[in-house]
Amino acid sequence: MRRLTRDRTSFFFDGGQEPAISVEQGESVVVETQDAHSGTITGPEIVYETLDDVMARIGGANPVTGPISVDGVRAGDCVQVHIERVEGAPVTGFGYMNTTPTLHPSFKAETVICHRSGDRVAVPTARGPVMVPCRPFVGTIGVAPAGEPVLSFRQGTAILGNVDLPDVRAGSTVVLRAAVDGALVSLGDAHLAQGDAEIHRSAIECQADVVLNITRSTPEEVGFSGLPQVNTTRAWGSVSPGPGHLEDLVRAAYDDLARRLRHTGRFSLAEAYRLLGAVGTVRVGQVVPPVYSAMAAIDRRYVRGC
């Protein structure tokens, strides 16, 4: 299996960038990702005060590995990025959290190291570590835009980007519409664990080794209705990345999912909204100014069971 190493990172989704690797459709490849601070945090003594501090000292945030060009993909096609495995902190064995005064003015800036232990992660406290489930996922993933490059810290419906959805994990498939030939997929910013909304403004950040394969499809085949999709064997999800108010993002995600349900031919649009009103769910990826994200989802059994 070929490997794309974590020294092939950038701070942009960029349609003019040369591919770091070209893959055949369905070819499994290991993508090594860097953490949100480009591997500079090696211990609690490395502290960043603000996002501006990060940008000034490193040159950007949330570096992405890539881009990956997919053979046979043309602009306008959809790509299905199948995530086979996510191994969090494969080198260091730990992740970290950054507490800053932007979370609360009474807080001092500090870095807390969170060690991985099997399928759990230790979150330090004054009374000893609290062990939480290790659930690694990819926080930032997207395709290159056709126009100007976009910072990998940002997000948008045309690229996806930094949405920090824990559902982008092993077993999920991210569906994106290519804006340039080859799609030019890039990813990074993995987390060992994160609660909904990334309310601390920093999840348990880590490097990762991600095994994935990418296939081409048409928008018609995947029922693409305008927003990126995150699908699993259990559920369909439509993702609405910012910018925008969270309530508008939730509504946009549900609107997209309703259109996807209508596309199956099993429901009218009104029936789709009624079904979502009864059993739809919402996952908030983040409320971390200036980035926000929401995903509306429905269990596949409600789609199959009609």
Side-chain angles (χ1 to χ4, degrees):
M1 189 181 304
R2 291 195 293 164
R3 180 177 290 263
L4 180 57
T5 55
R6 62 179 52 87
D7 59 337
R8 300 298 302 270
T9 62
S10 76
F11 292 113
F12 294 94
F13 294 102
D14 183 359
Q17 190 175 3
E18 286 296 315
I21 191 174
S22 294
V23 299
E24 296 180 1
Q25 292 185 46
E27 175 187 357
S28 293
V29 61
V30 181
V31 180
E32 299 179 0
T33 68
Q34 192 54 275
D35 63 57
H37 295 80
S38 296
T40 59
I41 293 181
T42 55
E45 70 280 1
I46 309 298
V47 177
Y48 292 91
E49 294 278 344
T50 63
L51 178 60
D52 288 341
D53 186 23
V54 174
M55 295 293 190
R57 290 163 61 181
I58 305 176
N62 292 21
V64 288
T65 304
I68 303 168
S69 179
V70 187
D71 292 347
V73 170
R74 298 290 178 262
D77 291 340
C78 284
V79 288
Q80 299 190 68
V81 184
H82 308 279
I83 299 177
E84 301 175 18
R85 180 169 60 87
V86 181
E87 181 185 359
V91 178
T92 64
F94 65 78
Y96 60 86
M97 302 184 81
N98 302 113
T99 301
T100 71
T102 57
L103 181 59
H104 193 280
S106 67
F107 293 163
K108 67 175 183 178
E110 61 181 331
T111 297
V112 175
I113 301 298
C114 302
H115 289 279
R116 186 191 67 189
S117 179
D119 61 356
R120 298 191 298 171
V121 184
V123 178
T125 75
R127 297 193 176 191
V130 176
M131 304 304 293
V132 303
C134 182
R135 295 172 177 164
F137 69 96
V138 176
T140 301
I141 185 169
V143 292
E148 292 296 313
V150 177
L151 284 168
S152 55
F153 177 76
R154 298 289 183 170
Q155 51 187 210
T157 56
I159 61 167
L160 191 53
N162 175 28
V163 292
D164 284 338
L165 283 164
D167 303 82
V168 184
R169 62 188 189 275
S172 70
T173 297
V174 181
V175 181
L176 305 165
R177 190 161 192 176
V180 299
D181 291 350
L184 299 184
V185 177
S186 300
L187 60 149
D189 181 36
H191 303 161
L192 287 176
Q194 179 196 296
D196 288 354
E198 199 182 22
I199 198 62
H200 180 259
R201 301 193 179 190
S202 166
I204 304 181
E205 312 285 340
C206 69
Q207 299 172 337
D209 286 354
V210 183
V211 180
L212 55 78
N213 72 79
I214 307 172
T215 56
R216 172 196 170 276
S217 61
T218 67
E220 180 71 17
E221 288 169 337
V222 294
F224 193 83
S225 297
L227 291 183
Q229 303 173 6
V230 177
N231 305 318
T232 68
T233 57
R234 295 186 58 186
W236 281 2
S238 288
V239 183
S240 184
H245 294 292
L246 189 59
E247 62 267 33
D248 295 330
L249 300 182
V250 171
R251 169 59 65 183
Y254 265 130
D255 288 346
D256 189 85
L257 192 53
R259 291 192 296 270
R260 290 175 61 190
L261 290 172
R262 179 182 60 180
H263 180 77
T264 66
R266 298 185 177 102
F267 308 99
S268 69
L269 190 60
E271 290 168 340
Y273 276 112
R274 284 196 288 270
L275 185 57
L276 292 172
V279 296
T281 62
V282 171
R283 166 67 65 85
V284 177
Q286 56 185 204
V287 285
V288 185
V291 288
Y292 306 85
S293 64
M295 182 180 76
I298 185 170
D299 193 299
R300 284 180 183 264
R301 70 178 184 270
Y302 298 115
V303 181
R304 292 191 297 258
C306 57

